[in-house]
Amino acid sequence: MSDATPSRPQPDFDALTRDIAEVPAVEVIVTVAVNLMSAAAVKLGLTEEGEAHKDLDEARKLVHALAGLLDAGATEISSFHAAPLRDGLKSLQLAFREASLVPDEPGQGPGEKYTGPVYG
């Protein structure tokens, strides 16, 4: 038997760097926001599998990070991109409030530090 490990093809970091250099910042910010929204929806149990992936602690972190990103990036991505993302964020915040057995006080829910209180 040989101790040699099978070699794996190495990623072409130069090509990856060139690719990301061509992507506008707005696209990167929006893509990250959509990924955070999707992950939060899964952790809130809003997917077909529902309860199987529900984890409100993880959802709180994701919604909070999304709110911070949108708060910091809103002026950079224009209202054309920011408005639907804010609507999605509010929907996630409301879903979190509904899913919580012991709801947070207004202004204390995930991301409300950035958005202000969210009411149902």
Side-chain angles (χ1 to χ4, degrees), residues 84-99:
L85 294 172
R86 280 194 205 108
D87 289 345
L89 170 61
K90 184 174 182 180
S91 294
L92 291 169
Q93 289 172 312
L94 289 170
F96 185 92
R97 189 167 290 284
E98 289 175 13

Side-chain angles (χ1 to χ4, degrees), residues 19-33:
D19 290 345
I20 199 71
E22 296 171 10
V23 178
V26 169
E27 191 173 326
V28 173
I29 294 167
V30 170
T31 299
V32 170

Side-chain angles (χ1 to χ4, degrees), residues 37-116:
M37 291 175 88
S38 298
V42 169
K43 296 297 184 178
L44 284 167
L46 301 176
T47 60
E48 288 181 19
E49 293 85 23
E51 297 293 317
H53 302 290
K54 190 172 184 178
D55 184 336
L56 294 183
D57 185 50
E58 291 290 301
R60 177 184 293 278
K61 293 170 188 172
L62 292 163
V63 172
H64 189 77
L66 174 62
L69 175 64
L70 294 182
D71 184 55
T75 58
E76 306 300 326
I77 62 174
S78 81
S79 60
F80 175 77
H81 295 288
L85 294 172
R86 280 194 205 108
D87 289 345
L89 170 61
K90 184 174 182 180
S91 294
L92 291 169
Q93 289 172 312
L94 289 170
F96 185 92
R97 189 167 290 284
E98 289 175 13
S100 297
L101 295 176
V102 181
D104 295 312
E105 292 294 321
Q108 300 301 307
E112 292 182 11
K113 162 182 171 178
Y114 300 106
T115 63

